[in-house]
């Protein structure tokens, strides 16, 4: 079983839609969690951290459920520019494990 | 400020040749990570260093792969001999211990024929 698992998608949604991604992790001792965004043929970049109480950054909301060992990312009012691959990342101590990524395409 | 710098950006080589990928992390960062990305397997952690010391190399595919970090500002990932299945984008990333944010280089795209 992979340490971090994501639905690979692809998710194809119209502009303005709300879309949600989930990610599960196997290491119950994991300490911190993140969402990264990767554009085609580019390097991953930090989108947002995920806090225990949940956190919001504009149209993006991240949540953590430690009991069920999953994190989620919600994108509201999606824009064409949101098209990318979204990677969840789990820090189990010192190492950083990435999910395979969920590909999102927002269409006009 | 300079980000993580990787070289070469692209390399095409023939099976059996030695490949050396290089990385200069962000100054002041304590941790350095090497990842490999393919369509089939996604982003895989190969090895990471804390304060120039290799901590976990369990992700290194096999003995053909080796990584070194002789000082805080330089790391190499070597493949010898290379095989076609090594074709991938290799990313180097650095971070300051415990902050969590990884800063990636632009990657080295390797093609082994």
């Amino acid at each position: 079983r992979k340490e971090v698992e994501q639905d690979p998608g692809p998710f194809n949604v119209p502009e303005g839609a709300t879309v949600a991604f989930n990610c599960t992790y196997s290491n119950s001792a994991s300490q911190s969690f993140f969402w990264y965004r990767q554009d085609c043929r580019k390097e991953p970049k930090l989108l947002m951290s995920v806090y225990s109480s949940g956190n919001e950054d504009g149209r993006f909301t991240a949540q953590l459920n430690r009991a069920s060992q999953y994190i989620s990312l919600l994108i509201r009012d999606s824009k064409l520019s949101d098209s990318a691959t979204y990677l969840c990342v789990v820090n189990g101590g010192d190492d950083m494990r990435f999910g395979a990524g969920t590909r999102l395409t927002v269409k006009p | 400020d300079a980000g993580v710098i990787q070289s070469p950006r692209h390399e095409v080589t023939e099976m059996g040749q030695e490949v050396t990928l290089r990385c200069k992390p962000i100054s002041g960062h304590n941790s350095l990570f090497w990842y490999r990305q393919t369509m089939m397997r996604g982003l895989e952690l190969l090895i990471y260093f804390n304060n120039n010391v290799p901590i976990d190399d369990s992700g290194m595919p096999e003995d053909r792969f080796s990584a070194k970090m002789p000082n805080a500002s330089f790391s190499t990932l070597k493949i010898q001999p290379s095989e076609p299945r090594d074709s991938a984008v290799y990313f180097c990333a650095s971070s300051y211990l415990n902050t969590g944010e990884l800063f990636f280089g632009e990657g080295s795209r390797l093609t082994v024929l």
Side-chain angles (χ1 to χ4, degrees), chain B residues 77-88:
Chain B
L77 178 68
K78 187 173 292 187
I79 309 172
Q80 167 62 21
S82 57
E83 296 182 4
R85 60 193 168 118
D86 301 332
S87 298

Side-chain angles (χ1 to χ4, degrees), chain B residues 2 4 9 15 27 32 38 41-42 48 52 56 65 76 97:
Chain B
V4 175
R9 291 291 311 281
M15 182 174 63
S27 177
L32 184 140
T38 61
R41 300 174 69 89
Y48 71 95
N52 313 339
D56 183 358
F65 285 69
T76 59
L97 273 176

Side-chain angles (χ1 to χ4, degrees), chain A residues 9-49:
Chain A
F11 284 62
N12 298 307
V13 302
E15 269 187 292
T18 296
V19 61
F21 308 135
N22 289 326
C23 171
T24 59
Y25 59 95
S26 60
N27 183 358
S28 59
S30 297
Q31 300 172 5
S32 51
F33 310 86
F34 310 88
W35 284 100
Y36 277 67
R37 170 189 169 134
Q38 185 174 23
D39 293 301
C40 188
R41 303 182 78 84
K42 297 286 189 180
E43 71 275 22
K45 292 184 179 178
L46 179 67
L47 176 66
M48 60 194 301
S49 301

Side-chain angles (χ1 to χ4, degrees), chain B residues 40-100:
Chain B
M40 291 296 294
R41 300 174 69 89
L43 202 61
E44 300 174 280
L45 177 63
L46 300 177
I47 186 172
Y48 71 95
F49 297 82
N50 281 349
N51 295 315
N52 313 339
V53 176
I55 302 300
D56 183 358
D57 65 354
S58 60
M60 296 284 261
E62 49 199 88
D63 292 344
R64 297 185 298 106
F65 285 69
S66 63
K68 293 182 180 179
M69 191 165 185
N71 56 62
S73 59
F74 184 65
S75 177
T76 59
L77 178 68
K78 187 173 292 187
I79 309 172
Q80 167 62 21
S82 57
E83 296 182 4
R85 60 193 168 118
D86 301 332
S87 298
V89 180
Y90 291 81
F91 285 105
C92 174
S94 71
S95 72
Y96 184 71
L97 273 176
N98 298 325
T99 64

Side-chain angles (χ1 to χ4, degrees), chain B residues 6-35:
Chain B
Q6 290 186 247
S7 65
R9 291 291 311 281
H10 302 273
E11 178 151 350
V12 181
T13 191
E14 292 188 344
M15 182 174 63
Q17 297 298 306
E18 179 178 294
V19 173
T20 299
L21 307 179
R22 298 173 177 80
C23 176
K24 177 179 169 55
I26 292 173
S27 177
H29 280 187
N30 311 75
S31 297
L32 184 140
F33 301 76
W34 281 101
Y35 289 89

Side-chain angles (χ1 to χ4, degrees), chain B residues 37 104 111:
Chain B
Q37 188 171 40
F104 283 80
T111 302

